[in-house]
Amino acid sequence: MTIKNKIRKRIDSWNIILEEPIKYINITKEEAEKLGDNIKQIDGVKLIVADKLTDKIKGDCFAYHKNKCQALNKLYCINSECKFYRNDVTMKQIKDSIKYYSKK
């Protein structure tokens, strides 16, 4: 299987997982070198070179827990920008705030 076909298969898998077409996908530096400098997208999906394929997962987000997002129905940070991402609060702080607010 060629590197281009492997990336196409990854694109198809993410489309199935996310249940919507993805706009971009991460590829490793090695994959980018094998593809060549001229290829910036495959099947309309932009290719982004990342050191590691897990670079986009925002593990420091308050809602990220055990490879799942507790705030949204999908893990959007894998292949798209998550507008819900926050790393300045914790889930405990949010729960405590809700308890405090409900007592008022």
Side-chain angles (χ1 to χ4, degrees):
M1 182 182 295
T2 67
I3 191 67
K4 202 170 188 177
N5 286 339
K6 285 182 182 179
I7 294 171
R8 276 193 175 113
K9 191 172 182 178
R10 193 179 315 148
I11 290 169
D12 291 341
S13 297
W14 279 117
N15 285 334
I16 291 168
I17 290 168
L18 296 175
E19 298 174 348
E20 60 188 41
I22 59 173
K23 295 177 183 172
Y24 61 89
I25 193 164
N26 293 331
I27 62 171
T28 63
K29 288 181 182 179
E30 293 81 21
E31 290 172 329
E33 289 171 5
K34 288 179 184 176
L35 282 173
D37 292 333
N38 297 338
I39 300 178
K40 302 291 182 197
Q41 64 177 346
I42 294 177
D43 299 336
V45 177
K46 185 178 176 182
L47 304 176
I48 297 176
V49 180
D51 288 335
K52 300 175 192 167
L53 290 182
T54 58
D55 279 355
K56 288 286 183 181
I57 296 176
K58 308 245 176 157
D60 61 338
C61 180
F62 80 95
Y64 181 81
H65 184 68
K66 294 184 180 178
N67 207 28
K68 290 188 179 183
C69 180
Q70 294 180 338
L72 302 172
N73 62 348
K74 298 177 191 169
L75 198 59
Y76 286 97
C77 63
I78 291 177
N79 272 320
S80 62
E81 289 299 314
C82 177
K83 295 180 175 125
F84 207 76
Y85 168 74
R86 290 203 47 197
N87 67 350
D88 60 337
V89 295
T90 64
M91 190 60 80
K92 182 180 180 338
Q93 288 172 322
I94 292 172
K95 288 178 181 179
D96 290 345
S97 293
I98 292 169
K99 285 178 187 176
Y100 177 75
Y101 180 79
S102 66
K103 289 180 182 179
K104 284 186 170 185

